[in-house]
Amino acid sequence: MIDRRTFSKVLGLGTGTAAVSPAGLRGPSAVPRGGGGGEGGGGGGRIPVVPAITPGTHTSFPALKQVRAGLLNVGYAELGPAHGPVVICLHGWPYDIHSYVDVAPLLADQGYRVIVPYLRGHGTTTFLSSRTFRNAQQSVFALDIIALMDVLKIHDAVFAGFDWGSRTADIIAALWPERVKALVSVSGYLITNRKAQLKPIAAKAEYAWWYQYYFATERGRLAMEEKTHRRELTHLVWYIVSPTWHFDDATFDRTATAFENPDYPAIVIHNYRWRLSLAQGEPRYDGYEDKLAATPSIGVPTITIDAERDPFTAPGNGSSYRDRFTGKYEHRTLAGIGHNVPQEAPTAFAQAVVDVDHL
């Protein structure tokens, strides 16, 4: 999930920061902002208000699409007008595109073309070659999405993500800012610094990362290989990191289907071992990783979101990463919400996307 150096609050879930209602981030009417521009297009004007819906209103996407992009055959959902401004929504672990099953139609109704891809090793996204190393270092996810954009002839998009998705969107915004119109990043700046990862942190903070250390062992790898253990482990993570989200078995099952991808165990294990310098990446990506190790700033318009009940949310109302964002910027904390922000608070998340497009 998120970079473990970015937080210190784990089990203490106090409310010492400003919070907003998860039902929506704006009032009952459109909010004016200086400059021109209209709905779905950014650039000021009156900002559309996303209508509030109950989380779980939608349970499925239209038929998925598949396209060869880079090293992958990428599976993705697409909603909204074909020529609308593009929003790319990126999921995390252990989640899938269903984190955006409510967000995507809300944004499509605002005139956006919404693209929600399965990350490598998830769902219907598969490798084109059996000989390709199942690499999950941070830069390759960003390169996967750049390749997808190129194939779909998308020059730039609003990016929105959480967990692995936030990290991937942050990397694209840092290294390829011309491809990012604006950014919504849950948990703020998540680009991994592997050198920092080598140092211990407070015991309470380490406690939340039990699965990361489990994955460093052979037992952890075998647990991800075996379906029953994998299901129990991922279900437990959902329960722990979203303590106020009362999801049912059907909701979890729709996502867990994505974990049956044959490359899923290898991708998950490599990702967490690579972060701890227990597994190597590929030399051809060293140039990107060297740039990311320098914690590059992000200059695109950004809204960061902290979830109050997410055990990985850092204290300080975004202050721990504020200096990494050098462009137009807003920060929001969602009261009573856990880690899977777009699925737990779809209206608030969709509104943040609309708002950042108008910063």
Side-chain angles (χ1 to χ4, degrees):
M1 291 179 195
I2 69 172
D3 189 322
R4 71 192 188 105
R5 301 300 301 179
T6 65
F7 71 94
S8 60
K9 182 183 72 172
V10 178
L11 299 180
L13 296 171
T15 58
T17 62
V20 296
S21 168
L25 295 173
R26 295 288 178 187
S29 60
V31 177
R33 186 169 282 163
E39 292 190 12
R46 294 186 67 82
I47 303 172
V49 172
V50 175
I53 64 168
T54 301
T57 296
H58 303 88
T59 59
S60 63
F61 287 101
L64 297 184
K65 299 182 177 183
Q66 296 287 144
V67 66
R68 292 165 67 102
L71 299 174
L72 306 172
N73 187 325
V74 179
Y76 66 99
E78 180 173 348
L79 289 80
H83 299 292
V86 180
V87 177
I88 297 177
C89 298
L90 301 176
H91 68 79
W93 184 88
Y95 306 97
D96 82 328
I97 63 173
H98 286 87
S99 290
Y100 297 99
V101 73
D102 283 325
V103 168
L106 287 173
L107 293 174
D109 287 346
Q110 296 295 326
Y112 290 98
R113 178 188 178 191
V114 187
I115 308 291
V116 191
Y118 280 113
L119 299 182
R120 57 170 54 196
H122 292 71
T124 63
T125 292
T126 58
F127 286 86
L128 297 176
S129 172
S130 61
R131 296 185 298 273
T132 302
F133 174 50
R134 272 39 178 174
N135 188 346
Q137 67 186 99
Q138 62 182 350
S139 60
V140 299
F141 291 98
L143 290 164
D144 290 344
I145 302 305
I146 293 292
L148 176 64
M149 295 175 73
D150 289 345
V151 169
L152 297 180
K153 295 181 170 30
I154 297 170
H155 177 267
D156 59 54
V158 176
F159 276 82
F162 78 106
D163 198 87
W164 290 18
S166 284
R167 178 175 296 106
T168 302
D170 288 353
I171 290 169
I172 297 172
L175 299 187
W176 297 277
E178 71 279 3
R179 309 305 296 267
V180 182
K181 183 180 180 185
L183 171 67
V184 173
S185 183
V186 175
S187 305
Y189 188 89
L190 296 187
I191 296 174
T192 297
N193 182 327
R194 289 212 297 171
K195 185 176 180 180
Q197 291 278 87
L198 296 175
K199 299 177 182 178
I201 54 179
K204 254 190 171 183
E206 299 280 21
Y207 177 77
W209 287 97
W210 63 273
Y211 56 88
Q212 179 170 241
Y213 305 124
Y214 187 41
F215 293 159
T217 70
E218 181 64 7
R219 286 178 62 168
R221 186 190 68 79
L222 291 174
M224 290 305 294
E225 291 278 0
E226 202 279 318
K227 183 175 181 178
T228 298
H229 288 303
R230 181 171 65 240
R231 176 186 171 85
E232 291 176 348
L233 188 153
T234 52
H235 189 278
L236 178 61
V237 171
W238 275 36
Y239 179 80
I240 291 172
V241 302
S242 294
T244 60
W245 183 31
H246 303 296
F247 59 89
D248 58 18
D249 287 342
T251 299
F252 179 78
D253 288 343
R254 283 189 287 270
T255 287
T257 299
F259 308 160
E260 296 176 15
N261 184 309
D263 294 315
Y264 184 79
I267 290 297
V268 173
I269 295 301
H270 186 259
N271 180 278
Y272 287 103
R273 290 184 179 183
W274 178 85
R275 292 193 214 179
L276 294 177
S277 296
L278 299 175
Q280 295 303 309
E282 294 179 86
R284 58 176 165 161
Y285 302 117
D286 286 351
Y288 301 114
E289 297 298 346
D290 288 345
K291 292 178 181 178
L292 296 173
T295 60
S297 61
I298 293 174
V300 304
T302 299
I303 291 177
T304 56
I305 296 175
D306 281 347
E308 178 197 30
R309 298 303 302 274
D310 181 353
F312 302 107
T313 293
N317 205 26
S319 60
S320 63
Y321 49 73
R322 175 64 186 91
D323 64 340
R324 293 293 84 209
F325 297 95
T326 58
K328 296 179 180 178
Y329 178 82
E330 291 183 11
H331 175 79
R332 298 169 182 180
T333 296
L334 299 188
I337 298 301
H339 190 68
N340 187 2
V341 172
Q343 200 161 2
E344 296 180 56
T347 304
F349 191 91
Q351 188 67 61
V353 172
V354 172
D355 289 350
V356 80
D357 193 24
H358 291 76
L359 275 183

